[in-house]
Amino acid sequence: MLHYKTFGEGNDGPPLVILHGLFGMLDNWQTLARRWAEQHTLVLADLRNHGRSPHEPDMNYDLMATDVAELLEELGHDRCYLLGHSMGGKVAMRTALKFPGLVEKLIVVDIAPRAYAPGHATIFAALEALDPSTVADRKEAAAQMANYVNDPGIQLFLLKNLARDPAGGYRWRMNLPVIAANYDELISGVAGPGERFPHPALFLRGGNSGYVKDDDLSLIKTHFPAAELVTVADAGHWVHAERPTELMAAVDAFLAG
């Protein structure tokens, strides 16, 4: 079963389930989860091969959607509000299409249901060049990563995946070889011909991000006919990190509507 954390247990209504993006983990959403927990029960999950969730040899959106459904069944929830960012947004969309009775409302942050061109070669190179078992601390790991990734924010995000190894040094929490081997699956589309999610859906995109284009709205509406698209101004792909107040306001209005 997926590793998870809950906040705000006992609040009325369906739980709000949050799914992180590629190379991420549930910790990325904890700050917002604690704020939302004043009104909702929150479930944050590490997706397979990420964070503290099990390492599995296979990785595709059908399997990850089933992981989410099985987690909710284990927790005793027969419906939820489901929010996902980037890769987690694709998992959320696949879950809504595959198990529409499980998802009362869907929120997708800065991703469309289409296939994307490869775009993580530099990050894979940085991660694969770093041997965590040999570094003394995160500062040394960041210095090695700087040979590939100069942005301190991206370095910090990626290095959250480092965990102390009882045998000495560090190790990656994520299953990097399997993520790399299944990368083509992770950039693929998530909706088959004729698949439709009939319930309300909110698609949020960053105004400075190119992940969700105006032309994507037609495909979104094909599979999510009740969808609305909201643009968060002055935000890039990391909408929740760059404009958390605006994202929360949009989600709150959608869930209350």
Side-chain angles (χ1 to χ4, degrees), residues 29-64:
W29 284 85
Q30 281 195 135
T31 300
L32 290 182
R34 289 192 174 97
R35 292 166 63 182
W36 267 318
E38 297 175 6
Q39 298 174 300
H40 305 280
T41 297
L42 268 290
V43 179
L44 274 63
D46 285 332
L47 296 169
R48 65 167 54 201
N49 294 314
H50 287 74
R52 293 175 173 83
S53 278
H55 287 191
E56 300 287 349
D58 298 313
M59 194 173 185
N60 60 56
Y61 287 115
D62 260 348
L63 290 171
M64 288 191 280

Side-chain angles (χ1 to χ4, degrees), residues 21 33 50 61 97 113 140 151 166 178 190 250 256:
H50 287 74
Y61 287 115
L97 291 167
E140 181 182 342
D151 187 322
V178 167
V190 294

Side-chain angles (χ1 to χ4, degrees), residues 91-114:
V91 177
M93 286 186 277
R94 187 69 217 140
T95 304
L97 291 167
K98 189 173 182 178
F99 306 102
L102 187 61
V103 180
E104 189 161 310
K105 291 187 177 183
L106 173 69
I107 303 137
V108 178
V109 182
D110 213 54
I111 201 76
R114 62 178 168 87

Side-chain angles (χ1 to χ4, degrees), residues 59-78:
M59 194 173 185
N60 60 56
Y61 287 115
D62 260 348
L63 290 171
M64 288 191 280
T66 300
D67 290 342
V68 173
E70 290 178 350
L71 173 62
L72 287 165
E73 182 179 9
E74 180 71 21
L75 295 175
H77 299 300
D78 59 3

Side-chain angles (χ1 to χ4, degrees), residues 135-143 156 158-164 170 173:
V135 298
D137 51 35
R138 292 174 184 273
K139 184 177 180 180
E140 181 182 342
L156 179 63
L158 295 172
L159 292 176
K160 285 181 178 290
N161 286 284
L162 284 181
R164 284 283 188 183
Y170 290 84
R173 289 193 193 279

